[in-house]
Amino acid sequence: MGPMDYESNSWIWDGVCYYPHLFGGLMLTAALLGFSTSYFSGIGVPSLPFFWSDFGIFQKRKSEKKRIRVYMDGCFDLMHFGHANALRQAKALGDELVVGVVSDEEIIANKGPPVLPMEERLALVSGLKWVDEVISNAPYAITEQFMNRLFNEHKIDYIIHGDDPCLLPDGTDAYALAKKAGRFKQIKRTEGVSSTDIVGRILSSINDAMDSEDHNATSMNGDAKKGSPSHGALSHFLPTSQRIVQFSNGRGPGQNARIVYIDGAFDLFHAGHIEILKSARQLGDFLLVGIHNDQTVSKLRGKQFPIMHLHERSLSVLGCRYVDEVIIGAPWEITKDMITTFNISLVVHGTVAENNSFAGDSDPYAVPKSIGIFKLLESPKNITTTSIAKRIVANHDAFKKRNAKKVESEKKYYAEKKYICGE
């Protein structure tokens, strides 16, 4: 039987699959008709394929399956891999992911001042590989009016949120209406990181830096303190190989691909990182990103850095839609062997960086410069990890008060949490 024969008779198998009882009845009728026509030879009966094809139920289903559109919102302040993983899980529950970014005014009213303004938060969310559409200035609570807008205007099928409670100032559930409408789905929260946790790390690192200065000053006067300051707040994130696989594209460069390489710390992943990675990706077919290890970052920027450790920074970069692959713990100096191993065509570096001075007298880009494959890229945004940390320092009291309140709710969540199946 050729492909055309199979195609023309596919309605038979559709009938068997979708309407077994009706199909069986028609088969019995056909058998009787066949017997009758052989007995009463004078009566003509149309051929069965022609006869049955008039029944629309057996026509091949040409309409495509409806695409499921899901919605998830958030503040996405100090965007981290936990946000990225939440959106990855949300996308897995549908075909198209629409993300609402809560307005600055709504965040101030419900949580306190945001660290990142709307423009930067939009850039971060739009830069994630799982996001299809973004709605700016979304409300903090899902009101009936906004929910109807989601269902009717944006054609949303389900509203998604994590298993951690999201309460309004009056103590009510922000997603109560969506749950009542039967259009709510839950995902598993990513443990070990939150915006509250990151603000706490920054505040802790600032205190460490101040303690270190006091320690050095008293040491010079012969009144040294015992011990040494700790390195910020400890991360509770437990990296697994599965999580890296989930974030990875799972594919390498093509045979003749132009591979662009860019490296850095990518600490406190921000809008500046997104924009420079986008610019780098436009210069080739495959973007390879080198992420320096914690020791290298500390040596260059001080022992209070990095704020996020290597695996956390790697996941943030992997979640970016412009990134194809990362080197976790990339060397500071780019060697000829490294260029050959990864078949690198171009090495780029942004004009805005945390520290443009090189360690000692060595230039880590000396080799790519010597063979003519280095390019200095104009950084689209003048944002650094330190400049973001300074925003928190400038509003130290407000963020300290906000964090104290959030820390209590975090403790309550961990004390009462139960196992939730998810990824």
Side-chain angles (χ1 to χ4, degrees):
M1 180 184 289
M4 290 299 291
D5 293 327
Y6 175 80
E7 184 71 12
S8 64
N9 292 326
S10 63
W11 55 270
I12 296 176
W13 304 113
D14 285 347
V16 173
C17 178
Y18 296 109
Y19 304 94
H21 298 297
L22 181 58
F23 189 81
L26 286 171
M27 287 293 289
L28 179 59
T29 303
L32 291 172
L33 283 172
F35 173 77
S36 299
T37 52
S38 64
Y39 189 81
F40 302 104
S41 57
I43 302 175
V45 177
S47 66
L48 292 181
F50 174 82
F51 177 70
W52 285 348
S53 63
D54 287 339
F55 288 84
I57 56 173
F58 293 141
Q59 293 297 323
K60 187 175 181 181
R61 299 185 174 192
K62 296 180 180 179
S63 58
E64 291 184 3
K65 180 183 175 183
K66 180 185 180 299
R67 293 182 66 77
I68 302 299
R69 287 169 61 83
V70 296
Y71 172 83
M72 187 171 190
D73 60 13
C75 300
F76 304 107
D77 198 20
L78 289 177
M79 190 83 174
H80 51 72
F81 66 91
H83 291 134
N85 191 49
L87 294 174
R88 180 193 65 80
Q89 291 181 80
K91 178 64 177 281
L93 295 176
D95 302 300
E96 297 171 2
L97 174 61
V98 181
V99 180
V101 181
V102 177
S103 68
D104 294 344
E105 294 75 19
E106 288 271 297
I107 296 175
I108 292 170
N110 289 278
K111 299 180 72 172
V115 178
L116 307 181
M118 171 60 74
E119 178 194 1
E120 293 179 24
R121 291 185 288 118
L122 280 175
L124 283 163
V125 173
S126 301
L128 281 176
K129 63 174 70 174
W130 300 284
V131 176
D132 298 296
E133 297 176 29
V134 178
I135 299 174
S136 61
N137 295 311
Y140 188 79
I142 303 289
T143 63
E144 187 170 1
Q145 180 182 7
F146 185 70
M147 187 170 69
N148 289 334
R149 180 185 162 196
L150 288 177
F151 295 158
N152 300 323
E153 183 181 331
H154 297 282
K155 309 300 180 185
I156 297 301
D157 295 290
Y158 296 102
I159 295 171
I160 317 294
H161 192 258
D163 61 301
D164 53 318
C166 183
L167 303 179
L168 300 174
D170 63 2
T172 58
D173 185 353
Y175 296 91
L177 286 174
K179 292 175 181 177
K180 186 178 179 181
R183 305 279 285 272
F184 179 84
K185 287 192 175 185
Q186 180 177 276
I187 58 169
K188 186 174 182 178
R189 168 177 164 158
T190 303
E191 306 290 3
V193 68
S194 66
S195 296
T196 302
D197 167 54
I198 295 171
V199 170
R201 294 191 210 183
I202 294 170
L203 292 173
S204 179
S205 69
I206 292 167
N207 292 333
D208 282 351
M210 292 173 64
D211 290 344
S212 180
E213 289 176 4
D214 292 341
H215 174 78
N216 291 336
T218 52
S219 294
M220 291 177 67
N221 294 326
D223 184 22
K225 294 181 180 180
K226 292 182 180 180
S228 59
S230 62
H231 171 54
L234 293 176
S235 167
H236 298 288
F237 173 60
L238 301 174
T240 63
S241 58
Q242 182 189 20
R243 184 71 75 227
I244 293 174
V245 170
Q246 290 168 340
F247 274 52
S248 173
N249 287 346
R251 59 179 182 271
Q255 186 174 0
N256 299 313
R258 178 176 168 82
I259 300 172
V260 179
Y261 178 78
I262 186 171
D263 61 1
F266 298 98
D267 198 12
L268 284 183
F269 199 67
H270 52 68
H273 292 139
I274 290 283
E275 296 299 333
I276 195 67
L277 291 172
K278 180 180 179 180
S279 297
R281 182 62 174 80
Q282 291 171 345
L283 297 175
D285 309 305
F286 191 92
L287 182 60
L288 175 64
V289 182
I291 304 170
H292 297 146
N293 62 34
D294 297 346
Q295 293 74 19
T296 299
V297 178
S298 294
K299 182 179 179 181
L300 289 170
R301 304 182 183 178
K303 57 187 174 182
Q304 68 269 30
F305 292 101
I307 302 297
M308 312 293 285
H309 68 58
L310 178 60
H311 288 95
E312 295 175 314
R313 293 182 284 119
S314 298
L315 288 176
S316 291
V317 174
L318 269 175
C320 177
R321 67 171 67 249
Y322 308 112
V323 175
D324 296 291
E325 180 63 286
V326 301
I327 300 176
I328 302 174
W332 170 250
E333 186 177 345
I334 301 170
T335 63
K336 182 68 170 67
D337 178 68
M338 180 179 168
I339 292 170
T340 302
T341 299
F342 291 100
N343 195 27
I344 296 170
S345 305
L346 182 66
V347 176
V348 299
H349 186 66
T351 54
V352 174
E354 198 68 39
N355 190 342
N356 279 313
S357 60
F358 302 120
D361 298 324
S362 63
D363 179 354
Y365 304 105
V367 172
K369 285 178 180 178
S370 69
I371 58 178
I373 63 167
F374 178 82
K375 182 180 178 65
L376 192 64
L377 270 183
E378 186 69 31
S379 297
K381 292 185 179 294
N382 189 24
I383 305 173
T384 63
T385 301
T386 299
S387 70
I388 291 176
K390 284 180 178 178
R391 297 178 193 177
I392 295 174
V393 175
N395 292 282
H396 183 276
D397 292 339
F399 282 112
K400 194 171 182 180
K401 183 179 178 181
R402 166 183 154 178
N403 254 42
K405 183 179 178 181
K406 288 291 292 180
V407 165
E408 288 305 313
S409 63
E410 290 278 306
K411 286 181 179 177
K412 184 179 179 182
Y413 164 76
Y414 281 110
E416 299 175 355
K417 85 166 187 175
K418 297 178 180 178
Y419 174 76
I420 301 291
C421 182
E423 299 180 346

